[in-house]
């Protein structure tokens, strides 16, 4: 049974992120990698964000995204004209998908940490998603801020929502597309 909030009966909100970093100098270390990967493994979503930027109002958003296989990243796009997104694989591997406006896959490619194919940069308004292929995958994301949850992304109407029960069938269709 889902955790319930103290207000009585509603599902407790899923934790999306750890607390923002505070301090003058951020250094990624083994302790943070272990804590982030553990938090992702314990999250019902199998992923968790660690914001490196000091506030959501920072003009450059820097995020560590700790992820486990089985997480579902609903296809989405960033609609704002300044919303270029760069993703670098620090650890692990993902299968990255680009979609057209009707949900057909137009490009699919594997990104792997420590390889030449470890980075993708996406223009605004490009539908995208990815599947996590390796345990304890860590992405580093960069986007122009400030962050505003109301305008940051638009989710695809042609894709299943998280927890809909249809996500595995959707991912299977994407995987089949990669075998042809």
């Amino acid at each position: 049974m889902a955790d319930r909030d103290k207000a009585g009966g509603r599902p407790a909100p899923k934790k999306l992120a750890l607390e923002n970093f505070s301090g003058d100098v951020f250094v990624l270390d083994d302790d943070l990698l272990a804590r982030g990967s553990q938090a992702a493994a314990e999250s019902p979503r199998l992923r968790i964000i660690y914001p490196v930027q000091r506030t959501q109002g920072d003009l450059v958003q820097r995020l560590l995204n700790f992820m486990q296989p089985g997480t579902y990243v609903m296809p989405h796009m960033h609609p704002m004209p300044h919303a270029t997104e760069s993703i670098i694989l620090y650890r692990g591997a993902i299968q990255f998908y680009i979609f057209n406006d009707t949900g057909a896959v137009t490009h699919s490619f594997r990104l792997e940490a420590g390889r030449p194919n470890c980075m993708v940069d996406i223009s605004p308004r490009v539908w995208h998603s990815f599947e996590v292929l390796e345990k304890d995958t860590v992405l580093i994301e960069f986007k122009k801020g400030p962050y505003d949850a109301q305008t940051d992304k638009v989710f695809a109407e042609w894709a299943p929502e998280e927890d809909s029960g249809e996500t595995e069938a959707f991912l299977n269709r994407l995987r089949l597309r990669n075998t042809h």
Side-chain angles (χ1 to χ4, degrees):
M1 187 154 119
D3 292 334
R4 301 287 171 177
D5 72 6
K6 292 183 171 58
R10 292 185 309 250
K14 293 179 183 176
K15 186 173 184 175
L16 304 177
L18 301 172
E19 294 298 317
N20 286 57
F21 174 74
S22 64
D24 293 331
V25 179
F26 170 81
V27 176
L28 181 59
D29 60 21
D30 289 335
D31 180 58
L32 179 56
L33 287 168
R35 286 187 299 122
S37 292
Q38 183 67 33
E42 292 172 357
S43 166
R45 301 174 80 216
L46 296 174
R47 69 181 187 268
I48 197 132
I49 291 171
Y50 181 82
V52 176
Q53 70 271 1
R54 295 355 177 234
T55 72
Q56 301 310 79
D58 285 7
L59 295 180
V60 178
Q61 301 290 295
R62 288 108 44 218
L63 312 165
L64 294 170
N65 203 336
F66 295 91
M67 310 181 91
Q68 301 295 341
T71 190
Y72 172 64
V73 178
M74 187 175 176
H76 63 279
M77 59 108 152
H78 305 282
M80 302 304 287
H82 65 271
T84 300
E85 180 178 27
S86 297
I87 297 173
I88 301 170
L89 266 281
Y90 179 80
R91 183 167 67 187
I94 62 173
Q95 188 69 35
F96 199 89
Y97 301 100
I98 303 291
F99 304 89
N100 67 17
D101 289 338
T102 63
V105 174
T106 60
H107 296 85
S108 174
F109 42 90
R110 184 181 173 104
L111 299 175
E112 298 179 64
R115 308 274 308 194
N117 60 328
C118 68
M119 180 182 168
V120 63
D121 186 80
I122 311 157
S123 291
R125 299 179 201 94
V126 173
W127 294 106
H128 60 282
S129 182
F130 55 88
E131 181 177 10
V132 175
L133 302 175
E134 293 183 8
K135 185 177 186 283
D136 298 335
T137 290
V138 180
L139 312 176
I140 302 170
E141 299 182 33
F142 300 92
K143 290 190 289 189
K144 184 175 181 185
Y147 175 76
D148 179 350
Q150 301 299 315
T151 61
D152 179 62
K153 65 180 67 150
V154 173
F155 291 102
E157 292 182 9
W158 40 259
E161 293 185 28
E162 268 188 61
D163 300 326
S164 71
E166 301 171 21
T167 58
E168 191 59 34
F170 179 78
L171 290 171
N172 282 335
R173 286 192 301 278
L174 296 178
R175 289 179 198 125
L176 282 173
R177 190 246 183 239
N178 282 335
T179 61
H180 295 88

